[in-house]
Amino acid sequence: MLHDLGVNPIHHHPPRFERQIVWPTVAALATVALLLVAGFYAYLNWQDHHDRQATLRRSLQVWNHLHRDTAAQLEWAAAQAAADPVLQNAMRQRDPQALLAQAQPVFAQLLKRFGIGHWYFIAPDQRVLLRVHSPADRGDLIRRKTFQEAVASSQGVSGVELGSMASLTLRHVLPWRVNGELLGYIEFGAELGWFAASIH
């Protein structure tokens, strides 16, 4: 009956409508979606970079703090050892066993609390009288730059150096004088691997 009245029950949009309205709209929405996705990934990359930079800054701050504090601890430990009359007497006698007996308990605490893993008693001739951390290894001549600077200046000197075991170590060397007499040198050191573990 609808056909008889000339009415078509199925309404077709002209192709021009699809070309002018539908496809441009779809293209615009797709472009916006792509821009949103690209923007999201750009933000993620920026955030990741920002987080890495922040972590690096925090690590550097911790490193500087540890370096400063450990250097002060090394200097303090050397001053305390130099003031110990038992160690002074043992050094005058060039008695490594007496030095070791007095130093070992203190060394265990320094290692545990501050990561100080090197302790040397060095004679005025610049030869190692005792390594508290390695008692059997002694008698060698010390040539390290930090040590030589302490010898030349007659003052305590700190510095980072590569040790005989290829480990970077923050060291403090103190010329050991009592009433004007040079008993020798005291050297303490903390390996930088301990720093890295602390930062981690």
Side-chain angles (χ1 to χ4, degrees):
M1 181 175 177
L2 291 173
H3 289 289
D4 295 337
L5 296 174
V7 177
N8 189 348
I10 301 174
H11 181 70
H12 290 287
H13 295 292
R16 187 175 62 180
F17 174 79
E18 293 182 356
R19 288 197 306 271
Q20 292 180 347
I21 304 297
V22 177
W23 292 119
T25 301
V26 170
L29 289 174
T31 301
V32 169
L34 287 174
L35 288 174
L36 286 173
V37 170
F40 177 70
Y41 278 105
Y43 170 76
L44 288 181
N45 288 333
W46 174 85
Q47 186 66 48
D48 184 55
H49 176 74
H50 181 267
D51 290 345
R52 285 199 306 269
Q53 292 297 315
T55 299
L56 182 60
R57 284 194 299 272
R58 286 194 298 271
S59 297
L60 186 58
Q61 289 170 353
V62 173
W63 175 273
N64 290 334
H65 177 75
L66 281 172
H67 187 283
R68 183 175 59 253
D69 282 1
T70 304
Q73 289 158 1
L74 294 173
E75 186 176 353
W76 173 84
Q80 293 298 307
D84 186 329
V86 176
L87 291 177
Q88 291 175 6
N89 186 59
M91 192 66 180
R92 284 193 186 94
Q93 301 297 320
R94 300 292 185 265
D95 186 345
Q97 294 307 315
L99 288 170
L100 184 62
Q102 182 71 2
Q104 263 188 332
V106 179
F107 177 65
Q109 291 299 314
L110 292 174
L111 178 60
K112 181 179 179 180
R113 293 182 60 191
F114 306 119
I116 297 175
H118 297 249
W119 187 352
Y120 301 75
F121 291 98
I122 303 168
D125 66 0
Q126 303 181 25
R127 292 189 179 276
V128 176
L129 181 63
L130 173 69
R131 284 178 170 88
V132 180
H133 56 285
S134 181
D137 185 13
R138 57 192 181 93
D140 52 310
L141 194 63
I142 300 297
R143 300 288 193 186
R144 288 191 299 271
K145 183 175 182 290
T146 303
F147 179 79
Q148 293 302 325
E149 287 179 359
V151 171
S153 67
S154 296
Q155 295 181 348
V157 175
S158 297
V160 175
E161 293 181 326
L162 192 65
S164 58
M165 302 302 291
S167 60
L168 281 173
T169 304
L170 174 62
R171 302 177 184 275
H172 182 79
V173 182
L174 178 67
W176 192 2
R177 293 185 181 275
V178 178
N179 298 325
E181 176 190 4
L182 180 64
L183 299 183
Y185 303 87
I186 296 174
E187 179 177 322
F188 281 95
E191 291 186 9
L192 298 195
W194 181 80
F195 284 29
S198 298
I199 292 173
H200 181 72

